[in-house]
């Protein structure tokens, strides 16, 4: 039997992979106007479940209320939607 069939198949695991907790813009719509969000508040309200490297805000959905949110990373579309509603995004 050839050597390549005798050896076990192994994949590649990137040990430097960064995993972020994901929050979408549509998840913020259910909270009152002028709410402030940071890691602790998002954890208490159930927006994120487990702590990872940080929080990334993505732009799926719409928002009509101004909110202030502190995250590790943010997409361009999410930043534009939050700022169009009168809110503010801070990078921690």
């Amino acid at each position: 039997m050839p050597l390549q069939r005798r050896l076990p198949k192994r994949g590649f695991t990137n040990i430097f992979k960064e995993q972020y907790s994901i929050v979408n813009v549509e998840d913020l719509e259910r909270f009152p106007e002028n709410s402030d969000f940071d890691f602790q508040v998002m954890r208490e309200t159930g927006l994120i479940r487990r702590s990872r490297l940080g929080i990334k805000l993505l732009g799926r959905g719409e928002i009509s209320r101004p909110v202030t949110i502190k995250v590790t990373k943010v997409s361009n579309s999410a930043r534009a939607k939050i700022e169009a509603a009168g809110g503010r995004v801070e990078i921690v």
Side-chain angles (χ1 to χ4, degrees), residues 19-21 39 43 47-55:
Q19 292 185 340
Y20 294 94
S21 297
F39 177 77
R43 180 98 174 170
L47 285 176
I48 56 175
R49 292 186 203 156
R50 62 184 107 155
S51 61
R52 293 194 175 185
L53 186 62
I55 301 168

Side-chain angles (χ1 to χ4, degrees), residues 7-51:
L7 295 176
K9 295 180 182 179
R10 296 181 187 229
F12 174 75
T13 303
N14 186 359
I15 61 171
F16 301 107
K17 181 179 181 181
E18 299 176 347
Q19 292 185 340
Y20 294 94
S21 297
I22 302 296
V23 176
N24 282 299
V25 171
E26 69 184 2
D27 299 333
L28 304 175
E29 183 66 29
R30 63 183 170 142
F31 295 101
E33 193 170 314
N34 295 323
S35 297
D36 292 329
F37 295 99
D38 59 355
F39 177 77
Q40 196 68 16
V41 173
M42 285 188 246
R43 180 98 174 170
E44 291 169 0
T45 57
L47 285 176
I48 56 175
R49 292 186 203 156
R50 62 184 107 155
S51 61

